[in-house]
Amino acid sequence: MVAPPVRTGLSLGRFGAMREAGLIVIILALCVAMSFASPHFATWGNVRAMLMSFSIEGIVVVGMTVLLIVGGIDLAVGSVVCFAMVVGGSMFLMGLDPWTACLIAIGASALVGAGMGFFVTVVGLNHFITSLAAMVIVRGLCLVITKGTPLSLFTLPPEFKAIGQGEFNGVPYVIIIFVVIVVLFDFLLRRATAFRKVFYTGSNEKAAEYSGIRTRQVKFWVTVLCSTLAGLAGVIYMSRFGAATPTFGVGMELNIIAAAVIGGASLTGGAGTIFGAILGIALLSVVTSSLILLDVSVYWQDMIKGCILLAAVSIDHFLNRRKS
Amino acid sequence: MVAPPVRTGLSLGRFGAMREAGLIVIILALCVAMSFASPHFATWGNVRAMLMSFSIEGIVVVGMTVLLIVGGIDLAVGSVVCFAMVVGGSMFLMGLDPWTACLIAIGASALVGAGMGFFVTVVGLNHFITSLAAMVIVRGLCLVITKGTPLSLFTLPPEFKAIGQGEFNGVPYVIIIFVVIVVLFDFLLRRATAFRKVFYTGSNEKAAEYSGIRTRQVKFWVTVLCSTLAGLAGVIYMSRFGAATPTFGVGMELNIIAAAVIGGASLTGGAGTIFGAILGIALLSVVTSSLILLDVSVYWQDMIKGCILLAAVSIDHFLNRRKS
Amino acid sequence: MSGGNVLEIRKISKHFGAVQALAEVDFMLERGEIHALCGENGAGKSTLMNIVAGILAPSSGEIRLEGLPVHIGSPAEAQRLGIGLVHQEIALCKDATVAENILMAATNARRAPLMNFSELNRTAQKVMNRLAPIPVTRRVGALSISNQQLVEIAKALTLDCRVLIFDEPTAALTEAETQALFCIIRGLKQRGISIIYISHRMAEIFALCDRVTVFRDGRYVSTDRIAEVTPDHVVRRMVGREITQLYPEKLAGEPGAPLLEVERLSDGAQFSDVSFTLRRGEILGLGGLIGAGRTEIALGVCGLAPTTQGSIRVDGQPVAIADYTDAIRAGIVYLSEDRKHSGVFLDLSIAANVSALDLRKLTRNGLVDRRLELTQAITLCTRLGVKMGAIGDPVSSLSGGNQQKVAIAKQLSVKPRVIIMDEPTRGIDVGAKSEIHKLLRELAADGVGIIVISSELPELLGISDRVIVIRGGRIAGEVTGAMTEEAVIRLASGVGGNFADVA
Amino acid sequence: ETANPFKCEPGEKYVMNVMVSGVEYWFPVYEMFKQAGQQFGCETAYTGTPEYDVNKQIASFDQALAQNPAGILVHPMNSDPFIEPINRAVDQGTAVVTFAADSPNSKRVSFITSDNLAEGTYAADAVAEAMGGKGEYAVLENPGQDNHDKRVAAFITRMEAKWPDMKLVGRAASNQDPTKAYQAVLSLIQANPELGAVFMPEANSAIGAAQASKENGSKVRVMLADVNANILDMIKAGEIFGSVNPNQGMQGYMGFMLLWLANHPDLIDPMNDTARSGKNGMAVPFVDNGFSIVTAENADDFYWDKYLKRRGTKGIEE
Ligand SMILES: Nc1ncnc2c1ncn2[C@@H]1O[C@H](COP(=O)(O)OP(=O)(O)OP(=O)(O)O)[C@@H](O)[C@H]1O
Ligand SMILES: Nc1ncnc2c1ncn2[C@@H]1O[C@H](COP(=O)(O)OP(=O)(O)OP(=O)(O)O)[C@@H](O)[C@H]1O
Ligand SMILES: [Mg+2]
Ligand SMILES: [Mg+2]
């Protein structure tokens, strides 16, 4: 009598799966169209290029999605990515070995998240304004640390650079790390008790409190998680580019949030999946690559990109509405 | 028995007044401190510079606040401001008289708003993703129209340039227009029947609908209003700068939204005042100006600015919490 | 033939996906009558009313108003046609004042470009006072749930209606407000307005209504004159079987040892100096008028609201309760009276709702054991008779009463030592209600201490072993033994012996 | 004997004003601006807004102006928006010189820059020569920023005019973002496996472009304008082909001179109509500060930190 739950016991269960189905169809349709339009599209080189281009951002998307589910938002991710690069880079230049430097950088990013978490949960500000202030402050810190000049990390040892630039059997480490994180968090978000509390808190904070969930703690730790993942992305970028630029990641936050929202995360909390969010960033990336591949005029690229985005989201919305 | 409405019958009545009181105190405190710290602060030249720096943006803030109250958000305002400049400018260069050109530009901006309104109310997308797509599309349109080069509108007639550059008894017209719009919309938002519906829709869309309010229409027109005001700001910028740059207003949206949120607008709708939002943008402006005036190292400016912002918002929050 | 009918509903069907909420139901409303609509939770009552009020579109069927077929596409159209609805779920603008909420429809219809707040407040206060003297300049968000319910009713009274629908208006009201409401409804009837009245309280229906229609499982069952049927009769039609005993047997012997001892508890505002003892195995009732502070006391005991003074002992041991998690650890759980805002997670699945209170029990190696979760949810939901599509469906797809059952299931999932239930059977049908009562009694027999806060006096007296009455945030007295409604009302309203035990 | 006329009055102050004031391009400019000021015994100050926002830059310009400096060396983010502020400054007696970007329709007294067209042209020649005059190339752009657009346009024009066998196969907007540049170059390489060079008019994109090139066998020559420590390291390591770098020091030094001269027109007595027309006889309309070509050989001379250490100053902080 009772239908078996699909994939998860969460309300999003079957519906969630459908959401993603819509996006998958759209992305596949785009890819097929592109394969006909450009002979270069369906090559391993190009697929690899597209994967590479969004895999580090994808790590940030994971954190943002969890934060959106709890009802928060983080405008500071771009700054934190940069902060991690800059802190890691300058630690390394001060003589630390790169691994320790990176750990410190990720730790510093987590601290930024803890600071935001403090203002949100203890002082009681909202995530938007807190993270906006953090965005400005952290970007300022990057300027202070670098004195405005990019740090050249040319001397990073090759075994460290390998993380961002190397491959394992032809598959870049970056992609491996990305896939591991996505699979891990997708699993945890669907199954782990701790992450279940994230859904409860985001869906109805008051009801969560009335269920004995310490919602402030949940929000705090999710805020920290988001910044920590941004920090991780930052050190991977550092390894990839062998540099730390104080202006890196400006404007990244909107792209990240857009990806999560396209993938079904709700800005009011309580809904969202990692898998969907990753499809969201993949969509954005495929569109960008396609326009370049088709050699569309730079003046028209933005416009067409925006239109495709709007069309994709509308179609996705339409497909989901029909099914539900 | 029934308490007389304070200032207004606004639900937020007295509480609203208090919110703003907190901000006013903070801004005044900053100003007094600055007058002691720098002899240049309390000069008409500096005050004029500060007022000028936020008065045109202030017009955009008005529209954004109304949109936030209805529960929406518009990430495209920066692009629309630029769009109005570019459309007005190219119409003028095509031979139209500048007034007609501006009317067309404002009309075009309103059309952008109508387009977004369509996707929100008819297709059913949310404001965030719709306006994000619009931001990209409209920016793209600006590039397409200008082919990437700024339009030089040096030949604009002086009586038109006077709007943006002229003065009336020593007070720039820009400031006069700004004050008129702010006062008008503040009044309307508190007293006009049509704008009360905006509050109701934003506070609880279902409840408003059950009362016979056509909430979709309300949301549609508020979206149009926000874009129209952005368009108006755009043509004033055009008159002020005598130019139309395709990259103008990039990143403006966050500043605008931040101002409204500092001023008490809620991202979930149902709360906000024009007066508060204007205080918000004034605060941001005073902080920026002060740092420049105090000759604070550029490396430190962003950081200090962010910290002051965070402190101000926290104090404001604290004052309001104690009073309420 | 249909001359006397204001509203005729013919063969209306409605399905949500696979769920058939209504199957070709008919319903006739005569001019100037008060027509009761009865049925179990999930029978389709609210769905039909939402269709009539333009909120939902029917899948098929026809609606006639004054004999003419009408299409009701939106609430605005319904209002133009003179159909008003008091919603089962409170839908108010929390950020606006009471006055603005009451007159929202009028504001919407106004031609004048500017608001006239003083007139608005005056008019609204007049309407409000007919029900209860709630100051109309207050923000709705600052009102308790029961006061919000009154505002919701007042709102409907301002509409210029031919047909006025009340969907469980009294679920959160006490006797006094209920009586005030009945006066108003009878007055409306005198003015020729036709009324549909939905309630699970048989006493109300038989006191107020002229005719009664029963739905079962989305189907029309019968329509009768009230004078020609008995409550048992109606219940049998609704449930399809006999409900022999409305309330379970009370505690036979003496209650056990003290379980929860509350001493001189105050919160500095809503209540003060509250002391009482709950014993093992007993069901303690908390009575009082709206706004007496019963909810606040419960919140204070559970650590959901701060207290300034007092101590709490469980099993004789003092416990420090700083937040609700501490309370749960100490074995105390609380069922909120405000289902929508603090009771359920509307967007999450039924299963996830049921397991929210104690995830630890379902956790294996840090992961939620979904088989266990489903078994638990299905067991409890079946026991409480939740009518649902699938256990994975969101709670928002349930009828009001079924949502309440899910909220109760959540409380029962943890095997607590003390259960505090605030308006537990709000909106729950007769059959399920007696099932819940039975369950509570069984829990009590197992040694659990239970506190029930209820505004429905018969229920309070029927289920409790003794009743403490709260007035103005203080304990006004205790009613034990052969408890009468009169005794409780006297204490609650402060008429007669103050602070005296009424035996 | 006459007193040395090349001296400032007490309180004579010269200000430099820029947008995105935290980035290093401006620092060498201000370093020499400051040096010239010190040699003349003038006060100097570095002002601007950390944001990339014309409105904010104008606000900072206005604020600087409110303090009545003797002159402002400004990099106007967009040309025409600065007409009114510059004119207001000139009318109040503050001389204005633009650098690196101009506001030609304003009353600014001089404009000093490296020639963006020459930079683009040189870059094109260097790339084409290295490729033997034959092959495919692409450009990354930042549409809307005037000096960047000029460099790109000049680069392409030169290729078309002088190197007919060089084929433009792709244009993409990277908007000074390393990640966008990275993605763009990866895609360009996929679409055009024979891609031999990519040009971009600024340094930020180069980090991403060079990485993309490196991951694909370093066959793509990365050519850019401007330098920073990271770019220099990559040039030295051969990961970046080269860069054209404006002579920032001359921009600052000559910028100061132009301002100072404009403030002291009484020092000269030219044979023209300046006395009658009331024009400023000291006005020099245009100065080209030239540019350098940075390659592996000379890269060491362009490190800002080494330069600062060598000079022993505190950079923009004084
Ligand atoms: N949005 C929805 N999606 C899916 N199913 C729904 C939805 N709304 C109602 N239903 C289903 O329709 C049926 C009828 O619900 P309805 O709310 O009309 O019941 P009701 O008679 O008012 O019950 P109650 O006494 O509990 O209020 C229920 O089985 C419910 O699960
Ligand atoms: N959120 C709130 N903000 C301000 N006052 C409140 C709030 N909630 C309740 N009150 C007030 O607190 C008092 C007690 O309210 P409440 O209705 O909860 O008591 P109660 O005895 O539980 O009544 P009920 O029978 O409705 O459950 C009332 O005066 C009410 O208006
Ligand atoms: Mg119902
Ligand atoms: Mg209560």
Side-chain angles (χ1 to χ4, degrees):
Chain A
M1 186 195 193
V2 171
V6 184
R7 291 185 74 181
T8 144
L10 273 181
S11 72
L12 304 167
R14 208 178 327 180
F15 180 67
M18 283 191 205
R19 260 217 74 87
E20 288 145 16
L23 266 180
I24 292 175
V25 167
I26 293 167
I27 294 176
L28 284 183
L30 254 177
C31 288
V32 170
M34 275 305 297
S35 313
F36 284 102
S38 162
H40 309 291
F41 187 83
T43 60
W44 165 236
N46 189 51
V47 171
R48 183 181 176 285
M50 283 194 298
L51 276 174
M52 284 294 278
S53 71
F54 70 78
S55 51
I56 307 186
E57 267 188 357
I59 297 174
V60 188
V61 171
V62 169
M64 183 68 85
T65 305
V66 181
L67 187 53
L68 286 172
I69 292 173
V70 90
I73 196 166
D74 187 353
L75 299 172
V77 282
S79 298
V80 172
V81 165
C82 180
F83 183 62
M85 282 174 100
V86 164
V87 169
S90 49
M91 288 288 151
F92 169 70
L93 291 181
M94 280 164 62
L96 251 61
D97 78 291
W99 308 98
T100 320
C102 284
L103 279 185
I104 294 177
I106 296 175
S109 309
L111 264 183
V112 171
M116 288 194 279
F118 172 82
F119 276 93
V120 169
T121 57
V122 181
V123 179
L125 303 182
N126 62 46
H127 264 105
F128 184 89
I129 203 75
T130 307
S131 65
L132 188 87
M135 168 174 125
V136 179
I137 294 173
V138 173
R139 179 68 61 190
L141 274 176
C142 294
L143 272 183
V144 171
I145 296 173
T146 59
K147 295 266 177 250
T149 35
L151 305 177
S152 179
L153 308 173
F154 210 69
T155 47
L156 279 172
E159 66 275 15
F160 179 76
K161 281 194 195 161
I163 295 180
Q165 310 179 4
E167 317 196 322
F168 178 77
N169 287 341
V171 183
Y173 286 121
V174 171
I175 297 181
I176 297 174
I177 296 175
F178 162 71
V179 170
V180 167
I181 288 185
V182 165
V183 169
L184 177 71
F185 276 92
D186 192 74
F187 176 77
L188 287 179
L189 201 57
R190 292 178 197 270
R191 300 289 312 276
T193 304
F195 283 90
R196 177 64 79 80
K197 292 184 186 167
V198 173
F199 273 99
Y200 288 134
T201 307
S203 172
N204 185 344
E205 190 171 343
K206 192 107 180 279
E209 241 160 61
Y210 276 54
S211 302
I213 292 168
R214 296 203 158 111
T215 54
R216 297 207 294 180
Q217 281 187 12
V218 172
K219 290 201 291 184
F220 178 85
W221 286 113
V222 171
T223 312
V224 172
L225 173 73
C226 181
S227 290
T228 310
L229 285 177
L232 175 64
V235 299
I236 299 179
Y237 270 124
M238 176 175 116
S239 154
R240 149 103 51 99
F241 290 138
T245 336
T247 54
F248 192 87
V250 171
M252 183 190 273
E253 57 282 352
L254 281 186
N255 213 35
I256 302 280
I257 297 169
V261 172
I262 294 172
S266 152
L267 289 172
T268 49
T273 63
I274 301 289
F275 185 48
I278 294 305
L279 288 175
I281 194 129
L283 175 68
L284 291 175
S285 187
V286 169
V287 171
T288 309
S289 293
S290 304
L291 291 175
I292 295 174
L293 229 52
L294 292 178
D295 200 15
V296 174
S297 149
V298 278
Y299 303 123
W300 288 92
Q301 281 186 14
D302 264 357
M303 227 199 79
I304 297 175
K305 188 173 164 182
C307 290
I308 295 181
L309 174 60
L310 198 56
V313 180
S314 302
I315 294 172
D316 180 48
H317 181 82
F318 190 71
L319 288 177
N320 283 314
R321 197 168 47 180
R322 289 201 56 175
K323 280 185 191 159
S324 73
Chain B
M1 186 194 194
V2 171
V6 183
R7 286 184 73 191
T8 134
L10 253 188
S11 69
L12 303 168
R14 211 178 321 182
F15 179 68
M18 283 189 206
R19 258 216 77 86
E20 288 143 17
L23 267 179
I24 292 176
V25 168
I26 293 167
I27 294 176
L28 284 183
L30 253 176
C31 288
V32 169
M34 276 305 297
S35 315
F36 283 102
S38 162
H40 306 291
F41 186 82
T43 60
W44 169 235
N46 189 53
V47 171
R48 183 181 177 286
M50 282 194 298
L51 276 174
M52 286 293 281
S53 75
F54 71 78
S55 50
I56 308 186
E57 267 188 359
I59 297 174
V60 188
V61 171
V62 169
M64 183 67 86
T65 306
V66 181
L67 186 54
L68 286 173
I69 290 172
V70 91
I73 195 164
D74 187 353
L75 300 172
V77 282
S79 297
V80 172
V81 164
C82 178
F83 183 61
M85 283 174 99
V86 164
V87 169
S90 48
M91 288 287 152
F92 169 70
L93 290 181
M94 281 164 60
L96 252 61
D97 78 292
W99 308 98
T100 320
C102 284
L103 279 184
I104 294 177
I106 295 175
S109 309
L111 263 183
V112 172
M116 287 194 280
F118 171 82
F119 276 93
V120 169
T121 59
V122 181
V123 179
L125 302 182
N126 62 45
H127 264 104
F128 184 88
I129 203 75
T130 307
S131 65
L132 189 88
M135 167 176 126
V136 178
I137 295 174
V138 173
R139 178 67 61 190
L141 274 176
C142 294
L143 278 180
V144 170
I145 296 174
T146 59
K147 293 271 172 252
T149 30
L151 306 177
S152 177
L153 308 173
F154 199 64
T155 48
L156 279 172
E159 64 275 16
F160 179 76
K161 280 193 194 160
I163 296 179
Q165 308 180 4
E167 314 195 325
F168 178 77
N169 286 341
V171 184
Y173 285 121
V174 170
I175 297 179
I176 297 174
I177 297 176
F178 162 69
V179 170
V180 167
I181 289 185
V182 166
V183 170
L184 176 72
F185 275 92
D186 191 74
F187 175 80
L188 287 179
L189 201 56
R190 291 176 197 272
R191 298 295 309 278
T193 311
F195 281 89
R196 290 314 295 169
K197 293 186 198 168
V198 173
F199 268 103
Y200 301 154
T201 306
S203 176
N204 186 341
E205 191 171 343
K206 273 245 177 71
E209 220 165 84
Y210 293 171
S211 300
I213 294 172
R214 294 184 196 276
T215 52
R216 296 207 295 180
Q217 279 188 14
V218 172
K219 291 200 290 184
F220 179 85
W221 287 112
V222 170
T223 312
V224 172
L225 174 72
C226 181
S227 290
T228 310
L229 285 177
L232 176 63
V235 300
I236 298 178
Y237 271 125
M238 175 175 118
S239 154
R240 165 128 186 256
F241 292 152
T245 332
T247 53
F248 189 85
V250 171
M252 183 189 273
E253 57 282 351
L254 281 187
N255 214 34
I256 302 278
I257 298 169
V261 171
I262 294 172
S266 153
L267 289 172
T268 49
T273 64
I274 302 290
F275 186 48
I278 295 306
L279 288 175
I281 195 136
L283 175 69
L284 291 175
S285 186
V286 169
V287 171
T288 310
S289 298
S290 304
L291 291 175
I292 295 175
L293 219 59
L294 290 179
D295 203 13
V296 173
S297 152
V298 285
Y299 304 130
W300 289 91
Q301 279 188 20
D302 263 354
M303 226 200 79
I304 297 174
K305 184 172 163 185
C307 290
I308 294 181
L309 174 60
L310 199 55
V313 179
S314 301
I315 293 172
D316 180 48
H317 181 82
F318 191 70
L319 288 177
N320 284 314
R321 196 167 47 177
R322 289 201 56 176
K323 279 183 192 161
S324 75
Chain C
M1 285 301 281
S2 65
N5 286 344
V6 183
L7 181 70
E8 294 172 32
I9 286 161
R10 304 215 161 156
K11 293 208 179 314
I12 289 271
S13 296
K14 172 77 188 171
H15 48 82
F16 300 97
V19 178
Q20 180 93 20
L22 291 172
E24 307 206 327
V25 297
D26 294 318
F27 184 88
M28 305 293 155
L29 181 65
E30 283 172 12
R31 192 181 323 281
E33 73 165 339
I34 305 177
H35 195 139
L37 181 55
C38 289
E40 287 185 286
N41 295 134
K45 306 179 294 291
S46 300
T47 305
L48 182 62
M49 294 308 115
N50 283 335
I51 288 171
V52 171
I55 293 163
L56 292 174
S59 306
S60 66
E62 183 191 45
I63 300 175
R64 282 167 178 265
L65 198 65
E66 309 277 14
L68 299 172
V70 286
H71 170 81
I72 309 172
S74 69
E77 260 171 78
Q79 270 168 26
R80 253 202 321 280
L81 293 169
I83 300 170
L85 170 62
V86 178
H87 296 269
Q88 180 177 17
E89 299 298 336
I90 291 167
L92 296 169
C93 294
K94 305 240 142 145
D95 305 293
T97 63
V98 172
E100 286 189 279
N101 269 285
I102 290 179
L103 291 169
M104 198 171 285
T107 304
N108 182 45
R110 250 167 87 93
R111 286 278 167 74
L114 293 184
M115 302 287 286
N116 182 343
F117 282 108
S118 51
E119 194 197 310
L120 181 91
N121 288 338
R122 224 175 309 120
T123 318
Q125 190 71 61
K126 235 183 272 163
V127 179
M128 195 70 247
N129 284 348
R130 289 165 68 189
L131 281 161
I134 300 170
V136 294
T137 48
R138 290 194 64 184
R139 227 166 51 83
V140 164
L143 297 180
S144 69
I145 187 78
S146 34
N147 283 342
Q148 290 183 16
Q149 176 80 54
L150 289 170
V151 174
E152 183 82 45
I153 295 171
K155 194 174 163 179
L157 299 180
T158 65
L159 299 175
D160 181 21
C161 289
R162 286 189 273 201
V163 175
L164 191 50
I165 305 165
F166 292 91
D167 195 348
E168 298 191 33
T170 54
L173 299 188
T174 56
E175 203 52 32
E177 289 85 15
T178 305
Q179 289 310 326
L181 176 64
F182 283 5
C183 276
I184 292 170
I185 293 180
R186 291 196 184 100
L188 294 173
K189 176 184 163 178
Q190 300 280 293
R191 285 169 36 209
I193 296 173
S194 319
I195 285 150
I196 303 175
Y197 187 86
I198 300 177
S199 176
H200 291 294
R201 299 182 181 174
M202 285 304 137
E204 289 179 1
I205 289 171
F206 278 79
L208 183 69
C209 304
D210 302 314
R211 292 200 299 166
V212 54
T213 291
V214 176
F215 281 6
R216 187 164 69 227
D217 289 337
R219 280 167 214 286
Y220 170 85
V221 175
S222 65
T223 303
D224 296 285
R225 302 227 149 265
I226 283 288
E228 294 160 8
V229 286
T230 62
D232 282 346
H233 203 101
V234 175
V235 169
R236 201 168 335 113
R237 287 205 174 139
M238 271 168 57
V239 188
R241 67 189 151 90
E242 205 80 37
I243 302 277
T244 43
Q245 197 186 6
L246 231 41
Y247 298 104
E249 293 288 329
K250 303 220 167 176
L251 184 64
E254 278 297 299
L259 182 56
L260 173 74
E261 291 164 272
V262 175
E263 216 161 294
R264 305 187 69 89
L265 199 66
S266 305
D267 76 343
Q270 309 284 355
F271 63 89
S272 55
D273 213 11
V274 171
S275 309
F276 63 87
T277 303
L278 173 71
R279 289 170 176 277
R280 213 178 279 281
E282 78 171 338
I283 298 180
L284 172 65
L286 278 191
L289 301 178
I290 285 191
R294 295 168 298 171
T295 299
E296 276 73 11
I297 293 172
L299 294 179
V301 170
C302 296
L304 281 162
T307 52
T308 52
Q309 255 178 42
S311 61
I312 292 166
R313 278 196 300 262
V314 176
D315 277 335
Q317 299 298 317
V319 287
I321 295 178
D323 65 12
Y324 187 38
T325 317
D326 294 336
I328 295 178
R329 294 246 165 85
I332 306 172
V333 296
Y334 169 73
L335 172 74
S336 165
E337 61 177 336
D338 191 347
R339 167 171 77 227
K340 203 161 128 201
H341 281 96
S342 42
V344 292
F345 305 93
L346 282 173
D347 307 326
L348 299 186
S349 71
I350 298 167
N353 266 274
V354 173
S355 39
L357 200 51
D358 191 2
L359 283 166
R360 272 182 309 176
K361 213 178 71 190
L362 301 173
T363 302
R364 301 280 175 274
N365 306 322
L367 303 181
V368 177
D369 184 331
R370 281 184 298 177
R371 267 237 304 282
L372 215 58
E373 175 174 40
L374 290 180
T375 326
Q376 167 182 294
I378 292 171
T379 314
L380 281 165
C381 287
T382 316
R383 175 110 203 241
L384 294 173
V386 179
K387 189 172 176 255
M388 60 188 169
I391 198 87
D393 286 351
V395 165
S396 59
S397 72
L398 297 180
S399 78
N402 284 312
Q403 291 181 10
Q404 182 71 13
K405 290 178 193 166
V406 171
I408 294 173
K410 182 174 93 174
Q411 308 301 314
L412 299 183
S413 70
V414 294
K415 309 227 168 21
R417 290 200 288 175
V418 176
I419 304 182
I420 305 175
M421 297 195 133
D422 203 348
E423 311 287 359
T425 53
R426 246 188 93 181
I428 285 189
D429 67 47
V430 191
K433 208 170 189 170
S434 80
E435 187 62 35
I436 288 167
H437 290 155
K438 223 161 55 196
L439 231 139
L440 290 180
R441 184 49 76 189
E442 281 170 28
L443 284 170
D446 283 351
V448 176
I450 294 169
I451 297 175
V452 171
I453 302 174
S454 173
S455 297
E456 197 187 345
L457 267 183
E459 177 185 42
L460 194 67
L461 297 176
I463 181 80
S464 313
D465 295 315
R466 62 192 168 101
V467 172
I468 292 176
V469 181
I470 312 289
R471 186 175 72 242
R474 288 168 182 276
I475 293 184
E478 190 177 312
V479 183
T480 52
M483 304 178 289
T484 60
E485 299 196 3
E486 195 208 340
V488 176
I489 291 173
R490 218 181 321 142
L491 280 174
S493 56
V495 186
N498 265 5
F499 294 90
D501 273 22
V502 181
Chain D
E1 58 169 31
T2 50
N4 175 12
F6 298 102
K7 255 215 161 81
C8 283
E9 321 261 308
E12 193 172 332
K13 183 173 174 183
Y14 292 86
V15 177
M16 183 169 141
N17 185 270
V18 298
M19 84 279 181
V20 263
S21 50
V23 307
E24 84 170 326
Y25 177 87
W26 317 114
F27 303 167
V29 180
Y30 181 70
E31 192 61 19
M32 282 301 103
F33 182 79
K34 184 175 69 184
Q35 167 142 326
Q38 282 163 356
Q39 288 167 350
F40 276 77
C42 302
E43 285 177 47
T44 59
Y46 178 73
T47 70
T49 172
E51 277 122 319
Y52 188 73
D53 180 336
V54 66
N55 206 27
K56 295 223 168 73
Q57 198 198 343
I58 290 179
S60 75
F61 181 91
D62 281 351
Q63 278 191 302
L65 193 57
Q67 304 181 29
N68 274 316
I72 302 180
L73 178 67
V74 62
H75 172 89
M77 183 174 149
N78 301 122
S79 35
D80 289 357
F82 268 87
I83 296 173
E84 189 268 342
I86 289 177
N87 289 356
R88 194 148 34 82
V90 172
D91 292 343
Q92 94 170 35
T94 298
V96 177
V97 169
T98 53
F99 78 99
D102 194 13
S103 178
N105 296 319
S106 70
K107 296 192 205 160
R108 55 104 180 112
V109 57
S110 309
F111 170 42
I112 177 165
T113 185
S114 57
D115 184 350
N116 295 138
L117 301 181
E119 284 165 348
T121 306
Y122 171 78
D125 285 348
V127 166
E129 272 163 25
M131 291 172 66
K134 196 164 162 10
E136 295 180 347
Y137 73 96
V139 291
L140 298 183
E141 305 186 54
N142 178 27
Q145 165 105 14
D146 195 38
N147 52 342
H148 293 174
D149 287 342
K150 274 199 190 118
R151 285 172 181 158
V152 171
F155 186 91
I156 295 172
T157 312
R158 180 65 169 185
M159 284 292 192
E160 283 166 355
K162 185 161 176 214
W163 307 97
D165 291 335
M166 291 293 295
K167 189 163 155 249
L168 175 63
V169 293
R171 306 174 68 150
S174 64
N175 301 101
Q176 311 197 49
D177 182 338
T179 22
K180 280 189 195 158
Y182 175 77
Q183 184 177 7
V185 173
L186 282 182
S187 297
L188 286 168
I189 292 174
Q190 294 312 317
N192 312 284
E194 297 304 312
L195 189 69
V198 58
F199 174 72
M200 63 223 70
E202 34 76 37
N204 278 317
S205 298
I207 296 174
Q211 181 58 29
S213 163
K214 194 168 136 196
E215 285 172 20
N216 285 276
S218 302
K219 281 179 299 191
V220 182
R221 292 162 186 80
V222 177
M223 182 77 197
L224 68 146
D226 302 348
V227 295
N228 58 47
N230 188 54
I231 298 291
L232 293 167
D233 283 351
M234 290 170 102
I235 289 177
K236 286 206 292 186
E239 291 182 6
I240 283 181
F241 176 70
S243 177
V244 288
N245 193 47
N247 285 340
Q248 293 138 300
M250 287 313 291
Q251 237 168 37
Y253 198 87
M254 291 308 294
F256 179 89
M257 296 295 286
L258 292 168
L259 280 176
W260 192 87
L261 291 174
N263 258 343
H264 299 271
D266 45 313
L267 288 182
I268 60 166
D269 183 16
M271 184 195 71
N272 61 17
D273 65 338
T274 43
R276 186 198 303 274
S277 68
K279 279 193 212 143
N280 189 332
M282 279 290 197
V284 182
F286 176 75
V287 174
D288 184 343
N289 57 252
F291 61 90
S292 327
I293 297 125
V294 185
T295 59
E297 289 86 67
N298 62 358
D300 275 330
D301 301 327
F302 292 85
Y303 284 91
W304 165 247
D305 50 345
K306 288 184 194 161
Y307 173 64
L308 207 56
K309 201 174 279 164
R310 166 158 72 74
R311 287 182 44 77
T313 72
K314 285 195 282 178
I316 57 165
E317 309 256 32
E318 57 181 20

